[in-house]
Structure formats: structure tokens, C-alpha cells
Amino acid sequence: MKHVLDRPIWSALATRHQAFAQGDNLAKRYRPSIVSFAATAADDPESLQALGRLIPPYESAILVQADAIALPARFSVISTAALVQMIAEPPLQIVSDERVQRMTRDDAAEMLALASITKPGPFTLEALNLGDFWGVRIGGRLVAMAGERMKQPGYTELSGVCSHPEFRGGGLGRLLSLFVASQIMARGEIPYLHAYASNAAAIGLYESIRFRLRSTMNMAVVQRDG
């Protein structure tokens, strides 16, 4: 039996994030201004054809799923990566730090600037539509943040964890990861996240705060050729 997180993009767009979805019951994507994620309900020819109709010519999309990624006709692969998907196990350490502040739309430009430097993954000015974000300022400057992205029934993804290079090593990534995960768990949901399988440092950090491997995942950035 398939797990709801085996196709996390599809599961989010078909349920808790359906307000941000474009597509039909075979293929969906987030509105491109939010994030360039897309998914099919299955890998059958009809679903792949629907994805081909959904993505305009010469536009790219990001696919993430546990199964090997199948592509529609006239699509090419720009890049691929192996990911790990990890879920949190209770009890999580409860953290409290007065430096942690909820981000608002007034902070969006600073958040985008930080994400542009640190590259935690796809991030846009509309990312705040998907869930809450928190950050830490030092000297009035946003130097670290983390927040929520995809949401499925009973699950919320921890995402966007990043610290400015000048402030790495100070425990801010750990602090914000724990803070966001505990906020999610306090709502009765299970926090989960994705990391590059090659990023041993990040995986070690998440393991230290009681995240465990749920599944390996496949990611591909693809483009419709015409």
C-alpha cells in the first residue's frame, strides 16, 4: 500500500493545498509563482499525458516521488538528485528562544534575499502562502529562517532551513528546525522534511533532533521541449 508521502507533491495538491493547485485528477502543479512543483497521480500513460498538457512548452517543473520518475513525451531532464525523506519521532525537545520571530509578508524580500544566498531549495516571494515561517535577526538583520511548505493530511513539511554563511556554526539551523517541528507537532501533525542524500551534515543534524529516515526519494528537474 502506498504511503501518503510517497508522492508528497500530489498528496498535498490533492488535499490540504488544493487551493494552490492547477490541473485535474491525473496531474497537478502548484501555481508557478509559488513553487515549480508538479506531480501525477500515477505513472500510467494517461497521467503522464495530463502532465504534458499541464506544463507549457519550454517551462520547467520539479518532480519528487519515491518511485522512479517517468516522463511524458517531449520532456527532457535538466537535473536529477537522490533525496532522503525523514519524519520526526516524538518526543521532540521543546525550545524557547526570544530571538525566534514569526515572519510576515513585510519580511518576504529579506527572506528571498537570504534564500538566494543560502539556496535551501525552491523559494519565492509567495512561499508564505504555504505555511508559517520563523526567523532569527541579529543586529536587525535576518540571518536564519525555517518554515513550512507542503501539507498532507496529518503531515507538514519542514522546509527552507537556512543560516547566513557568516552565522553558520552557531546552532541557528538546529534551533529553528526544532522550533518549527515542535510547532507542527503541537498541532497534532507529524513533521517531515527532505534533504539531499549526499548532504551528510544536514542528515546528521536532523537525526540529532529525532528525525529518522522514512524513504529514499527521487527528484528531477524537467522541461517540456515543445
Side-chain angles (χ1 to χ4, degrees):
M1 181 176 180
K2 294 293 187 181
H3 193 282
V4 68
L5 295 183
D6 284 349
R7 290 177 181 262
I9 298 170
W10 175 265
S11 298
L13 290 171
T15 58
R16 297 176 65 192
H17 274 176
Q18 58 184 320
F20 307 116
Q22 296 177 341
D24 54 27
N25 63 345
L26 296 176
K28 298 180 188 293
R29 70 171 182 171
Y30 281 91
R31 296 198 303 268
S33 59
I34 297 177
V35 67
S36 54
F37 287 165
T40 55
D43 293 327
D44 59 88
E46 292 77 17
S47 295
L48 294 175
Q49 289 169 10
L51 179 63
R53 294 190 296 269
L54 184 60
I55 307 299
Y58 311 111
E59 188 170 308
S60 62
I62 300 172
L63 314 178
V64 177
Q65 61 187 52
D67 295 327
I69 293 174
L71 295 182
R74 302 191 307 278
F75 271 66
S76 59
V77 175
I78 298 173
S79 64
T80 63
L83 306 179
V84 294
Q85 185 184 86
M86 307 177 75
I87 62 173
E89 293 185 314
L92 290 182
Q93 177 185 346
I94 303 301
V95 296
S96 177
D97 192 310
E98 63 182 11
R99 295 176 299 172
V100 179
Q101 302 173 357
R102 188 188 297 271
M103 299 286 95
T104 71
R105 293 190 178 280
D106 292 338
D107 303 304
E110 283 185 278
M111 294 169 69
L112 182 60
L114 180 60
S116 298
I117 294 170
T118 57
K119 303 188 185 307
F123 189 89
T124 68
L125 286 173
E126 293 193 42
L128 284 168
N129 288 323
L130 301 181
D132 294 326
F133 266 79
W134 289 266
V136 170
R137 293 181 180 277
I138 295 178
R141 176 184 174 192
L142 182 65
V143 299
M145 67 177 182
E148 302 169 351
R149 189 166 60 185
M150 291 187 285
K151 298 187 177 187
Q152 299 82 9
Y155 295 90
T156 291
E157 182 190 23
L158 165 64
S159 183
V161 181
C162 58
S163 298
H164 193 281
E166 295 177 17
F167 295 87
R168 286 177 184 160
L172 294 178
R174 177 186 177 87
L175 167 67
L176 285 166
S177 296
L178 267 172
F179 184 89
V180 176
S182 62
Q183 293 289 312
I184 294 168
M185 197 165 276
R187 300 198 301 259
E189 301 169 8
I190 298 175
Y192 76 100
L193 57 85
H194 295 99
Y196 287 108
S198 60
N199 193 342
I203 293 170
L205 166 65
Y206 296 131
E207 288 176 337
S208 75
I209 58 174
R210 296 188 61 84
F211 277 80
R212 66 167 177 83
L213 175 68
R214 192 203 74 83
S215 178
T216 56
M217 304 292 285
N218 297 293
M219 183 192 79
V221 181
V222 303
Q223 177 179 282
R224 181 177 165 189
D225 297 325

